[in-house]
Amino acid sequence: MMTERIAVETPVLKKNDEYAAENRQWFADRSVSVVNIMSAPGAGKTTLLEKTLPMLGGRFRCAVIEGDLQTDLDAERIRKVGVRAHQINTTCCHLDARMVQGAAETFEDAMPEVLFIENIGNLVCPASYDLGEHLKVTLFSVVEGADKPKKYPKMFRMSDCVVLNKADLLPYSGVAHEELLRNVRDVSPEAEVFTVSARTGEGLDEWVAWLTKRIEALKGKS
Amino acid sequence: MMTERIAVETPVLKKNDEYAAENRQWFADRSVSVVNIMSAPGAGKTTLLEKTLPMLGGRFRCAVIEGDLQTDLDAERIRKVGVRAHQINTTCCHLDARMVQGAAETFEDAMPEVLFIENIGNLVCPASYDLGEHLKVTLFSVVEGADKPKKYPKMFRMSDCVVLNKADLLPYSGVAHEELLRNVRDVSPEAEVFTVSARTGEGLDEWVAWLTKRIEALKGKS
């Protein structure tokens, strides 16, 4: 079964890479910086965005692409903080470059400078799909356990930044923060790592400062 | 991209269904009851098994198939409570029926009466793959948020039982338990629902009583 699956997945991934290359050019032509936020379900991607967007303080024109199997609850939450959002509903377990292409085009009348993509909640599949983004961020809920970076290494390894969320639950969860940090660094030594609580706001200043700096650097290049 | 993906997935799923049918017959011939436990990463599947297996009190001969992308940490944890475990490591985002077939055969010298399958941590893909199991259990960490059953409905809908775990974190998480229960019941009205903390043991008696009853019923039929 595995060999069959690999055999059929390969052309799909190759086709995706072609769309991702198109996206990269399309984003470059319009000076859009694109941030792909990935995590397991319920790690707090939407809450992180709800808090981060206002903290960027109107410095950049932003928009969000929301990926979900069902509902447009997340896009509604983003619109409530005054940011445009396009909801993708898909039966697929990840967003692919072509879906992102279609969604990005809906913003073309007033292109954002920064486009955030909130991927489908899944710690496995989204890691295989290049979307043409500039920054990959893995969000991880600390209560999922200190061993998870070792068990799901691919997404951590490829990320520019790992945000460890729900730090407010650390004292109650029995999860060893030091061990989790060590496992993140073992798997992904190059990634910037932040420990935050998107809900309480703890640690978000450092994350937003890093993000701002990286976006400014991308804009400087474009 | 979506149509291409569906086109290539369909024969894979059809082939999987054939293996699942073989599994069902193979399990029936050997009087094995099979329980497939699915969840997002870090919801506590291994901890639930570590606590549940001793609580079954030697009533059934048990074994566990562990699915992970990497590491055999989970199989090691199961062996520590005195139960045989077979680790599957796969690059795939779910277990399929053929992988389970190969793993189940490793127990053939002393077949278990109850075979637990701990699926890959993923709230999306495992829901599409019939493994030939008798009971499907979705484990859900309450801190993932009350809205998730609506956003990832398929796995909840097809489950015989939904176990809401990490109840000990409810007071600190800001998640509304009643709303979560309502959403589970809306999506999956037939499923048995338990709220537990696998870590503290809270609520496990009711889950184990239900599981015992269902396994006894399956054995009565075989």
mmCIF file of all heavy atoms in Angstrom, chain A residues 1 5 9 16 42 68-69 74 92-93 96 98 121 125 129 143-144 148 151-152 166 169 172 199, chain B residues 1 5 9 16 42 68-69 74 92-93 96 98 121 125 129 143-144 148 151-152 166 169 172 199:
data_model
loop_
_atom_site.group_PDB
_atom_site.id
_atom_site.type_symbol
_atom_site.label_atom_id
_atom_site.label_comp_id
_atom_site.label_asym_id
_atom_site.label_seq_id
_atom_site.Cartn_x
_atom_site.Cartn_y
_atom_site.Cartn_z
ATOM 1 N N MET A 1 0.832 -1.200 0.000
ATOM 2 C CA MET A 1 0.000 0.000 0.000
ATOM 3 C C MET A 1 0.873 1.258 0.000
ATOM 4 O O MET A 1 0.658 2.201 -0.739
ATOM 5 C CB MET A 1 -0.897 0.002 1.238
ATOM 6 C CG MET A 1 -1.870 1.148 1.266
ATOM 7 S SD MET A 1 -2.993 1.092 -0.149
ATOM 8 C CE MET A 1 -4.487 0.591 0.677
ATOM 9 N N ARG A 5 0.946 4.364 -2.625
ATOM 10 C CA ARG A 5 0.669 5.731 -2.209
ATOM 11 C C ARG A 5 1.777 6.674 -2.659
ATOM 12 O O ARG A 5 1.524 7.741 -3.182
ATOM 13 C CB ARG A 5 0.493 5.808 -0.692
ATOM 14 C CG ARG A 5 0.100 7.214 -0.274
ATOM 15 C CD ARG A 5 -0.388 7.335 1.144
ATOM 16 N NE ARG A 5 -0.632 8.742 1.399
ATOM 17 C CZ ARG A 5 -1.798 9.324 1.278
ATOM 18 N NH1 ARG A 5 -2.851 8.648 0.925
ATOM 19 N NH2 ARG A 5 -1.926 10.623 1.513
ATOM 20 N N GLU A 9 1.466 9.876 -5.064
ATOM 21 C CA GLU A 9 1.696 11.177 -4.447
ATOM 22 C C GLU A 9 2.749 11.977 -5.197
ATOM 23 O O GLU A 9 2.695 13.190 -5.231
ATOM 24 C CB GLU A 9 2.124 11.016 -2.977
ATOM 25 C CG GLU A 9 0.993 10.680 -2.035
ATOM 26 C CD GLU A 9 0.173 11.909 -1.672
ATOM 27 O OE1 GLU A 9 0.656 12.764 -0.936
ATOM 28 O OE2 GLU A 9 -0.973 11.970 -2.160
ATOM 29 N N ASN A 16 2.335 20.347 -7.467
ATOM 30 C CA ASN A 16 2.232 21.392 -6.434
ATOM 31 C C ASN A 16 3.437 22.322 -6.460
ATOM 32 O O ASN A 16 3.305 23.546 -6.311
ATOM 33 C CB ASN A 16 2.100 20.747 -5.048
ATOM 34 C CG ASN A 16 1.898 21.794 -3.963
ATOM 35 O OD1 ASN A 16 0.839 22.394 -3.867
ATOM 36 N ND2 ASN A 16 2.949 22.052 -3.185
ATOM 37 N N GLY A 42 -6.344 22.839 16.982
ATOM 38 C CA GLY A 42 -6.551 23.374 18.329
ATOM 39 C C GLY A 42 -5.298 23.865 19.026
ATOM 40 O O GLY A 42 -5.289 24.056 20.234
ATOM 41 N N ASP A 68 -9.842 25.358 6.296
ATOM 42 C CA ASP A 68 -10.575 24.479 7.212
ATOM 43 C C ASP A 68 -11.316 23.429 6.429
ATOM 44 O O ASP A 68 -11.673 23.641 5.277
ATOM 45 C CB ASP A 68 -11.601 25.273 8.050
ATOM 46 C CG ASP A 68 -10.980 25.867 9.297
ATOM 47 O OD1 ASP A 68 -10.454 25.092 10.115
ATOM 48 O OD2 ASP A 68 -11.006 27.094 9.439
ATOM 49 N N LEU A 69 -11.563 22.287 7.069
ATOM 50 C CA LEU A 69 -12.389 21.263 6.437
ATOM 51 C C LEU A 69 -13.826 21.764 6.313
ATOM 52 O O LEU A 69 -14.474 21.583 5.293
ATOM 53 C CB LEU A 69 -12.380 19.971 7.262
ATOM 54 C CG LEU A 69 -11.032 19.310 7.496
ATOM 55 C CD1 LEU A 69 -11.233 17.926 8.087
ATOM 56 C CD2 LEU A 69 -10.228 19.194 6.226
ATOM 57 N N ASP A 74 -13.279 30.640 11.545
ATOM 58 C CA ASP A 74 -11.979 31.285 11.717
ATOM 59 C C ASP A 74 -11.903 32.593 10.934
ATOM 60 O O ASP A 74 -11.402 33.603 11.445
ATOM 61 C CB ASP A 74 -10.846 30.341 11.302
ATOM 62 C CG ASP A 74 -10.670 29.197 12.297
ATOM 63 O OD1 ASP A 74 -11.319 29.236 13.360
ATOM 64 O OD2 ASP A 74 -9.886 28.282 12.015
ATOM 65 N N CYS A 92 -9.620 18.276 1.746
ATOM 66 C CA CYS A 92 -8.224 17.875 1.765
ATOM 67 C C CYS A 92 -7.629 18.095 3.168
ATOM 68 O O CYS A 92 -8.097 18.933 3.930
ATOM 69 C CB CYS A 92 -7.483 18.711 0.727
ATOM 70 S SG CYS A 92 -6.132 17.830 -0.044
ATOM 71 N N CYS A 93 -6.556 17.363 3.483
ATOM 72 C CA CYS A 93 -5.968 17.407 4.817
ATOM 73 C C CYS A 93 -4.859 18.457 4.925
ATOM 74 O O CYS A 93 -4.108 18.470 5.901
ATOM 75 C CB CYS A 93 -5.423 16.029 5.167
ATOM 76 S SG CYS A 93 -4.352 15.368 3.871
ATOM 77 N N ASP A 96 -2.915 23.323 -0.580
ATOM 78 C CA ASP A 96 -1.872 23.194 -1.586
ATOM 79 C C ASP A 96 -1.701 24.531 -2.310
ATOM 80 O O ASP A 96 -2.462 25.479 -2.097
ATOM 81 C CB ASP A 96 -2.145 22.020 -2.543
ATOM 82 C CG ASP A 96 -3.393 22.216 -3.383
ATOM 83 O OD1 ASP A 96 -3.685 23.357 -3.773
ATOM 84 O OD2 ASP A 96 -4.078 21.217 -3.652
ATOM 85 N N ARG A 98 -2.120 25.506 -5.313
ATOM 86 C CA ARG A 98 -3.171 25.970 -6.216
ATOM 87 C C ARG A 98 -4.339 26.591 -5.448
ATOM 88 O O ARG A 98 -4.912 27.587 -5.871
ATOM 89 C CB ARG A 98 -3.657 24.810 -7.087
ATOM 90 C CG ARG A 98 -4.561 25.288 -8.214
ATOM 91 C CD ARG A 98 -4.913 24.130 -9.132
ATOM 92 N NE ARG A 98 -5.757 24.560 -10.228
ATOM 93 C CZ ARG A 98 -6.175 23.745 -11.185
ATOM 94 N NH1 ARG A 98 -5.825 22.471 -11.156
ATOM 95 N NH2 ARG A 98 -6.943 24.194 -12.141
ATOM 96 N N GLY A 121 -5.535 22.246 10.292
ATOM 97 C CA GLY A 121 -4.945 21.724 11.519
ATOM 98 C C GLY A 121 -4.465 20.301 11.339
ATOM 99 O O GLY A 121 -5.270 19.365 11.330
ATOM 100 N N CYS A 125 0.621 16.407 7.117
ATOM 101 C CA CYS A 125 0.515 16.619 5.666
ATOM 102 C C CYS A 125 0.941 18.018 5.198
ATOM 103 O O CYS A 125 1.605 18.125 4.154
ATOM 104 C CB CYS A 125 -0.895 16.315 5.202
ATOM 105 S SG CYS A 125 -1.505 14.722 5.816
ATOM 106 N N TYR A 129 3.719 20.301 1.477
ATOM 107 C CA TYR A 129 3.190 21.141 0.406
ATOM 108 C C TYR A 129 3.747 22.560 0.480
ATOM 109 O O TYR A 129 3.330 23.367 1.317
ATOM 110 C CB TYR A 129 1.651 21.143 0.448
ATOM 111 C CG TYR A 129 1.107 19.821 -0.043
ATOM 112 C CD1 TYR A 129 1.084 18.708 0.795
ATOM 113 C CD2 TYR A 129 0.699 19.671 -1.353
ATOM 114 C CE1 TYR A 129 0.641 17.470 0.337
ATOM 115 C CE2 TYR A 129 0.251 18.443 -1.831
ATOM 116 C CZ TYR A 129 0.230 17.354 -0.980
ATOM 117 O OH TYR A 129 -0.197 16.134 -1.447
ATOM 118 N N VAL A 143 0.785 21.602 25.728
ATOM 119 C CA VAL A 143 0.116 20.470 26.377
ATOM 120 C C VAL A 143 0.059 19.225 25.497
ATOM 121 O O VAL A 143 -0.352 18.165 25.954
ATOM 122 C CB VAL A 143 -1.305 20.833 26.875
ATOM 123 C CG1 VAL A 143 -1.232 21.897 27.954
ATOM 124 C CG2 VAL A 143 -2.204 21.273 25.748
ATOM 125 N N GLU A 144 0.456 19.337 24.242
ATOM 126 C CA GLU A 144 0.527 18.140 23.389
ATOM 127 C C GLU A 144 1.684 17.219 23.803
ATOM 128 O O GLU A 144 1.756 16.082 23.338
ATOM 129 C CB GLU A 144 0.653 18.529 21.903
ATOM 130 C CG GLU A 144 -0.614 19.181 21.326
ATOM 131 C CD GLU A 144 -0.397 19.804 19.947
ATOM 132 O OE1 GLU A 144 0.401 19.282 19.157
ATOM 133 O OE2 GLU A 144 -1.024 20.850 19.667
ATOM 134 N N LYS A 148 6.686 15.362 21.211
ATOM 135 C CA LYS A 148 6.105 15.467 19.862
ATOM 136 C C LYS A 148 7.071 15.964 18.773
ATOM 137 O O LYS A 148 7.008 15.463 17.646
ATOM 138 C CB LYS A 148 4.830 16.311 19.877
ATOM 139 C CG LYS A 148 3.697 15.712 20.709
ATOM 140 C CD LYS A 148 3.386 14.291 20.351
ATOM 141 C CE LYS A 148 2.387 13.644 21.315
ATOM 142 N NZ LYS A 148 2.874 13.483 22.712
ATOM 143 N N LYS A 151 8.539 13.030 17.340
ATOM 144 C CA LYS A 151 7.617 12.108 16.684
ATOM 145 C C LYS A 151 7.060 12.670 15.378
ATOM 146 O O LYS A 151 6.602 11.917 14.525
ATOM 147 C CB LYS A 151 6.479 11.746 17.642
ATOM 148 C CG LYS A 151 6.982 10.908 18.815
ATOM 149 C CD LYS A 151 5.929 10.681 19.842
ATOM 150 C CE LYS A 151 4.871 9.729 19.345
ATOM 151 N NZ LYS A 151 3.834 9.549 20.377
ATOM 152 N N TYR A 152 7.056 13.986 15.243
ATOM 153 C CA TYR A 152 6.554 14.653 14.031
ATOM 154 C C TYR A 152 7.618 15.646 13.568
ATOM 155 O O TYR A 152 7.374 16.851 13.519
ATOM 156 C CB TYR A 152 5.240 15.383 14.337
ATOM 157 C CG TYR A 152 4.158 14.480 14.883
ATOM 158 C CD1 TYR A 152 4.075 14.186 16.237
ATOM 159 C CD2 TYR A 152 3.229 13.904 14.025
ATOM 160 C CE1 TYR A 152 3.089 13.350 16.734
ATOM 161 C CE2 TYR A 152 2.237 13.061 14.507
ATOM 162 C CZ TYR A 152 2.170 12.788 15.860
ATOM 163 O OH TYR A 152 1.201 11.960 16.340
ATOM 164 N N LYS A 166 0.183 28.208 24.568
ATOM 165 C CA LYS A 166 -0.518 27.746 25.783
ATOM 166 C C LYS A 166 0.442 27.593 26.963
ATOM 167 O O LYS A 166 0.281 26.677 27.791
ATOM 168 C CB LYS A 166 -1.318 26.452 25.514
ATOM 169 C CG LYS A 166 -2.230 26.585 24.287
ATOM 170 C CD LYS A 166 -3.325 25.548 24.217
ATOM 171 C CE LYS A 166 -4.056 25.690 22.871
ATOM 172 N NZ LYS A 166 -5.210 24.808 22.737
ATOM 173 N N LEU A 169 -0.747 27.072 30.486
ATOM 174 C CA LEU A 169 -1.171 25.762 30.995
ATOM 175 C C LEU A 169 0.007 24.907 31.467
ATOM 176 O O LEU A 169 -0.199 23.817 32.017
ATOM 177 C CB LEU A 169 -1.969 25.004 29.919
ATOM 178 C CG LEU A 169 -3.299 25.652 29.498
ATOM 179 C CD1 LEU A 169 -3.998 24.808 28.443
ATOM 180 C CD2 LEU A 169 -4.225 25.835 30.706
ATOM 181 N N TYR A 172 0.072 23.273 34.920
ATOM 182 C CA TYR A 172 -0.969 22.287 35.238
ATOM 183 C C TYR A 172 -0.885 21.034 34.382
ATOM 184 O O TYR A 172 -1.613 20.080 34.589
ATOM 185 C CB TYR A 172 -2.358 22.913 35.018
ATOM 186 C CG TYR A 172 -2.479 24.290 35.607
ATOM 187 C CD1 TYR A 172 -2.561 25.412 34.804
ATOM 188 C CD2 TYR A 172 -2.492 24.459 36.995
ATOM 189 C CE1 TYR A 172 -2.653 26.675 35.337
ATOM 190 C CE2 TYR A 172 -2.582 25.727 37.546
ATOM 191 C CZ TYR A 172 -2.659 26.832 36.709
ATOM 192 O OH TYR A 172 -2.741 28.075 37.253
ATOM 193 N N ARG A 199 -3.482 33.344 24.428
ATOM 194 C CA ARG A 199 -4.686 33.724 25.167
ATOM 195 C C ARG A 199 -4.402 34.844 26.172
ATOM 196 O O ARG A 199 -5.134 35.828 26.228
ATOM 197 C CB ARG A 199 -5.243 32.488 25.893
ATOM 198 C CG ARG A 199 -6.634 32.682 26.471
ATOM 199 C CD ARG A 199 -7.301 31.344 26.732
ATOM 200 N NE ARG A 199 -6.647 30.614 27.791
ATOM 201 C CZ ARG A 199 -7.132 30.524 29.042
ATOM 202 N NH1 ARG A 199 -8.261 31.095 29.365
ATOM 203 N NH2 ARG A 199 -6.482 29.819 29.958
ATOM 204 N N MET B 1 -6.083 21.039 -8.623
ATOM 205 C CA MET B 1 -5.272 20.164 -7.764
ATOM 206 C C MET B 1 -6.174 19.188 -6.998
ATOM 207 O O MET B 1 -5.923 17.997 -6.939
ATOM 208 C CB MET B 1 -4.483 21.018 -6.767
ATOM 209 C CG MET B 1 -3.521 20.226 -5.936
ATOM 210 S SD MET B 1 -2.306 19.364 -6.960
ATOM 211 C CE MET B 1 -0.854 20.295 -6.556
ATOM 212 N N ARG B 5 -6.149 15.142 -6.954
ATOM 213 C CA ARG B 5 -5.937 14.392 -5.733
ATOM 214 C C ARG B 5 -7.032 13.348 -5.537
ATOM 215 O O ARG B 5 -6.762 12.206 -5.205
ATOM 216 C CB ARG B 5 -5.888 15.329 -4.525
ATOM 217 C CG ARG B 5 -5.504 14.558 -3.277
ATOM 218 C CD ARG B 5 -5.154 15.417 -2.101
ATOM 219 N NE ARG B 5 -4.950 14.553 -0.954
ATOM 220 C CZ ARG B 5 -3.806 14.068 -0.586
ATOM 221 N NH1 ARG B 5 -2.716 14.355 -1.236
ATOM 222 N NH2 ARG B 5 -3.712 13.260 0.469
ATOM 223 N N GLU B 9 -6.607 9.372 -5.215
ATOM 224 C CA GLU B 9 -6.903 8.792 -3.916
ATOM 225 C C GLU B 9 -7.912 7.652 -4.023
ATOM 226 O O GLU B 9 -7.876 6.718 -3.249
ATOM 227 C CB GLU B 9 -7.444 9.871 -2.961
ATOM 228 C CG GLU B 9 -6.388 10.789 -2.387
ATOM 229 C CD GLU B 9 -5.615 10.137 -1.254
ATOM 230 O OE1 GLU B 9 -6.167 9.943 -0.168
ATOM 231 O OE2 GLU B 9 -4.434 9.817 -1.497
ATOM 232 N N ASN B 16 -7.586 -0.136 -0.198
ATOM 233 C CA ASN B 16 -7.578 -0.218 1.267
ATOM 234 C C ASN B 16 -8.809 -0.974 1.770
ATOM 235 O O ASN B 16 -8.722 -1.790 2.696
ATOM 236 C CB ASN B 16 -7.541 1.179 1.892
ATOM 237 C CG ASN B 16 -7.442 1.112 3.405
ATOM 238 O OD1 ASN B 16 -6.401 0.769 3.947
ATOM 239 N ND2 ASN B 16 -8.551 1.386 4.085
ATOM 240 N N GLY B 42 -0.764 14.350 20.407
ATOM 241 C CA GLY B 42 -0.690 14.844 21.786
ATOM 242 C C GLY B 42 -2.001 14.891 22.536
ATOM 243 O O GLY B 42 -2.105 15.543 23.566
ATOM 244 N N ASP B 68 3.432 5.509 14.301
ATOM 245 C CA ASP B 68 4.117 6.797 14.468
ATOM 246 C C ASP B 68 4.954 7.092 13.241
ATOM 247 O O ASP B 68 5.385 6.180 12.544
ATOM 248 C CB ASP B 68 5.050 6.778 15.699
ATOM 249 C CG ASP B 68 4.329 7.129 16.972
ATOM 250 O OD1 ASP B 68 3.778 8.241 17.038
ATOM 251 O OD2 ASP B 68 4.304 6.289 17.891
ATOM 252 N N LEU B 69 5.203 8.374 12.995
ATOM 253 C CA LEU B 69 6.104 8.755 11.910
ATOM 254 C C LEU B 69 7.521 8.349 12.259
ATOM 255 O O LEU B 69 8.272 7.866 11.425
ATOM 256 C CB LEU B 69 6.056 10.268 11.681
ATOM 257 C CG LEU B 69 4.699 10.885 11.333
ATOM 258 C CD1 LEU B 69 4.892 12.318 10.890
ATOM 259 C CD2 LEU B 69 3.994 10.109 10.243
ATOM 260 N N ASP B 74 6.304 5.089 21.976
ATOM 261 C CA ASP B 74 4.976 4.672 22.435
ATOM 262 C C ASP B 74 4.924 3.171 22.699
ATOM 263 O O ASP B 74 4.352 2.733 23.706
ATOM 264 C CB ASP B 74 3.909 5.083 21.415
ATOM 265 C CG ASP B 74 3.698 6.593 21.391
ATOM 266 O OD1 ASP B 74 4.274 7.287 22.247
ATOM 267 O OD2 ASP B 74 2.956 7.065 20.516
ATOM 268 N N CYS B 92 3.735 7.844 6.223
ATOM 269 C CA CYS B 92 2.346 8.115 5.871
ATOM 270 C C CYS B 92 1.642 8.857 7.021
ATOM 271 O O CYS B 92 2.042 8.748 8.175
ATOM 272 C CB CYS B 92 1.663 6.780 5.588
ATOM 273 S SG CYS B 92 0.387 6.865 4.352
ATOM 274 N N CYS B 93 0.570 9.579 6.695
ATOM 275 C CA CYS B 93 -0.127 10.411 7.681
ATOM 276 C C CYS B 93 -1.268 9.667 8.364
ATOM 277 O O CYS B 93 -2.092 10.265 9.045
ATOM 278 C CB CYS B 93 -0.643 11.670 7.001
ATOM 279 S SG CYS B 93 -1.596 11.291 5.507
ATOM 280 N N ASP B 96 -2.936 2.334 7.302
ATOM 281 C CA ASP B 96 -3.903 1.739 6.396
ATOM 282 C C ASP B 96 -4.044 0.248 6.721
ATOM 283 O O ASP B 96 -3.320 -0.301 7.557
ATOM 284 C CB ASP B 96 -3.535 2.005 4.922
ATOM 285 C CG ASP B 96 -2.236 1.335 4.503
ATOM 286 O OD1 ASP B 96 -1.952 0.224 4.986
ATOM 287 O OD2 ASP B 96 -1.515 1.926 3.676
ATOM 288 N N ARG B 98 -3.430 -2.440 5.139
ATOM 289 C CA ARG B 98 -2.342 -3.363 4.845
ATOM 290 C C ARG B 98 -1.237 -3.290 5.902
ATOM 291 O O ARG B 98 -0.668 -4.305 6.298
ATOM 292 C CB ARG B 98 -1.761 -3.054 3.463
ATOM 293 C CG ARG B 98 -0.824 -4.147 2.995
ATOM 294 C CD ARG B 98 -0.363 -3.870 1.591
ATOM 295 N NE ARG B 98 0.559 -4.873 1.098
ATOM 296 C CZ ARG B 98 1.064 -4.855 -0.120
ATOM 297 N NH1 ARG B 98 0.734 -3.887 -0.970
ATOM 298 N NH2 ARG B 98 1.899 -5.791 -0.496
ATOM 299 N N GLY B 121 -1.075 10.383 14.950
ATOM 300 C CA GLY B 121 -1.751 11.571 15.476
ATOM 301 C C GLY B 121 -2.168 12.503 14.367
ATOM 302 O O GLY B 121 -1.333 13.218 13.806
ATOM 303 N N CYS B 125 -6.817 12.500 8.263
ATOM 304 C CA CYS B 125 -6.618 11.391 7.319
ATOM 305 C C CYS B 125 -7.042 10.019 7.841
ATOM 306 O O CYS B 125 -7.625 9.238 7.080
ATOM 307 C CB CYS B 125 -5.165 11.359 6.864
ATOM 308 S SG CYS B 125 -4.568 12.995 6.347
ATOM 309 N N TYR B 129 -9.604 5.787 6.369
ATOM 310 C CA TYR B 129 -9.024 4.452 6.154
ATOM 311 C C TYR B 129 -9.625 3.416 7.099
ATOM 312 O O TYR B 129 -9.305 3.374 8.281
ATOM 313 C CB TYR B 129 -7.495 4.519 6.311
ATOM 314 C CG TYR B 129 -6.870 5.205 5.108
ATOM 315 C CD1 TYR B 129 -6.872 6.595 4.995
ATOM 316 C CD2 TYR B 129 -6.363 4.456 4.054
ATOM 317 C CE1 TYR B 129 -6.361 7.227 3.871
ATOM 318 C CE2 TYR B 129 -5.845 5.073 2.925
ATOM 319 C CZ TYR B 129 -5.846 6.458 2.844
ATOM 320 O OH TYR B 129 -5.353 7.061 1.725
ATOM 321 N N VAL B 143 -8.498 20.838 25.612
ATOM 322 C CA VAL B 143 -7.843 22.142 25.422
ATOM 323 C C VAL B 143 -7.674 22.502 23.951
ATOM 324 O O VAL B 143 -7.277 23.618 23.620
ATOM 325 C CB VAL B 143 -6.469 22.239 26.142
ATOM 326 C CG1 VAL B 143 -6.655 22.127 27.639
ATOM 327 C CG2 VAL B 143 -5.502 21.200 25.637
ATOM 328 N N GLU B 144 -7.991 21.580 23.031
ATOM 329 C CA GLU B 144 -7.960 21.918 21.598
ATOM 330 C C GLU B 144 -9.118 22.842 21.215
ATOM 331 O O GLU B 144 -9.117 23.402 20.114
ATOM 332 C CB GLU B 144 -7.993 20.634 20.747
ATOM 333 C CG GLU B 144 -6.724 19.793 20.847
ATOM 334 C CD GLU B 144 -6.864 18.413 20.185
ATOM 335 O OE1 GLU B 144 -7.606 18.274 19.208
ATOM 336 O OE2 GLU B 144 -6.240 17.454 20.693
ATOM 337 N N LYS B 148 -13.860 22.393 17.666
ATOM 338 C CA LYS B 148 -13.189 21.449 16.774
ATOM 339 C C LYS B 148 -14.078 20.338 16.211
ATOM 340 O O LYS B 148 -13.906 19.971 15.048
ATOM 341 C CB LYS B 148 -11.939 20.853 17.450
ATOM 342 C CG LYS B 148 -10.869 21.887 17.791
ATOM 343 C CD LYS B 148 -10.465 22.729 16.607
ATOM 344 C CE LYS B 148 -9.558 23.890 16.981
ATOM 345 N NZ LYS B 148 -10.155 24.916 17.854
ATOM 346 N N LYS B 151 -15.363 21.561 13.092
ATOM 347 C CA LYS B 151 -14.363 21.836 12.063
ATOM 348 C C LYS B 151 -13.724 20.565 11.502
ATOM 349 O O LYS B 151 -13.194 20.581 10.394
ATOM 350 C CB LYS B 151 -13.285 22.771 12.632
ATOM 351 C CG LYS B 151 -13.856 24.155 12.946
ATOM 352 C CD LYS B 151 -12.873 25.036 13.644
ATOM 353 C CE LYS B 151 -11.752 25.464 12.733
ATOM 354 N NZ LYS B 151 -10.781 26.307 13.469
ATOM 355 N N TYR B 152 -13.745 19.504 12.268
ATOM 356 C CA TYR B 152 -13.182 18.216 11.844
ATOM 357 C C TYR B 152 -14.248 17.130 12.073
ATOM 358 O O TYR B 152 -14.012 16.192 12.835
ATOM 359 C CB TYR B 152 -11.917 17.894 12.643
ATOM 360 C CG TYR B 152 -10.849 18.955 12.543
ATOM 361 C CD1 TYR B 152 -10.865 20.073 13.369
ATOM 362 C CD2 TYR B 152 -9.827 18.858 11.599
ATOM 363 C CE1 TYR B 152 -9.896 21.075 13.260
ATOM 364 C CE2 TYR B 152 -8.861 19.835 11.485
ATOM 365 C CZ TYR B 152 -8.900 20.936 12.324
ATOM 366 O OH TYR B 152 -7.939 21.912 12.213
ATOM 367 N N LYS B 166 -7.977 15.127 29.132
ATOM 368 C CA LYS B 166 -7.357 16.304 29.786
ATOM 369 C C LYS B 166 -8.400 17.166 30.491
ATOM 370 O O LYS B 166 -8.289 18.400 30.519
ATOM 371 C CB LYS B 166 -6.512 17.117 28.787
ATOM 372 C CG LYS B 166 -5.510 16.240 28.009
ATOM 373 C CD LYS B 166 -4.364 16.997 27.382
ATOM 374 C CE LYS B 166 -3.536 16.043 26.513
ATOM 375 N NZ LYS B 166 -2.357 16.617 25.924
ATOM 376 N N LEU B 169 -7.475 19.897 32.896
ATOM 377 C CA LEU B 169 -7.052 21.234 32.430
ATOM 378 C C LEU B 169 -8.241 22.147 32.134
ATOM 379 O O LEU B 169 -8.043 23.337 31.852
ATOM 380 C CB LEU B 169 -6.149 21.114 31.198
ATOM 381 C CG LEU B 169 -4.815 20.388 31.419
ATOM 382 C CD1 LEU B 169 -4.023 20.318 30.113
ATOM 383 C CD2 LEU B 169 -3.974 21.091 32.491
ATOM 384 N N TYR B 172 -8.525 25.674 33.657
ATOM 385 C CA TYR B 172 -7.465 26.650 33.323
ATOM 386 C C TYR B 172 -7.451 27.018 31.850
ATOM 387 O O TYR B 172 -6.702 27.900 31.432
ATOM 388 C CB TYR B 172 -6.093 26.073 33.687
ATOM 389 C CG TYR B 172 -6.057 25.414 35.044
ATOM 390 C CD1 TYR B 172 -5.948 24.040 35.170
ATOM 391 C CD2 TYR B 172 -6.157 26.192 36.207
ATOM 392 C CE1 TYR B 172 -5.934 23.433 36.412
ATOM 393 C CE2 TYR B 172 -6.154 25.590 37.453
ATOM 394 C CZ TYR B 172 -6.044 24.213 37.547
ATOM 395 O OH TYR B 172 -6.041 23.621 38.778
ATOM 396 N N ARG B 199 -4.472 11.268 32.678
ATOM 397 C CA ARG B 199 -3.336 11.505 33.569
ATOM 398 C C ARG B 199 -3.729 11.307 35.037
ATOM 399 O O ARG B 199 -3.038 10.627 35.784
ATOM 400 C CB ARG B 199 -2.791 12.925 33.356
ATOM 401 C CG ARG B 199 -1.463 13.187 34.003
ATOM 402 C CD ARG B 199 -0.777 14.388 33.397
ATOM 403 N NE ARG B 199 -1.477 15.624 33.652
ATOM 404 C CZ ARG B 199 -1.085 16.530 34.555
ATOM 405 N NH1 ARG B 199 -0.003 16.335 35.269
ATOM 406 N NH2 ARG B 199 -1.769 17.636 34.723
#
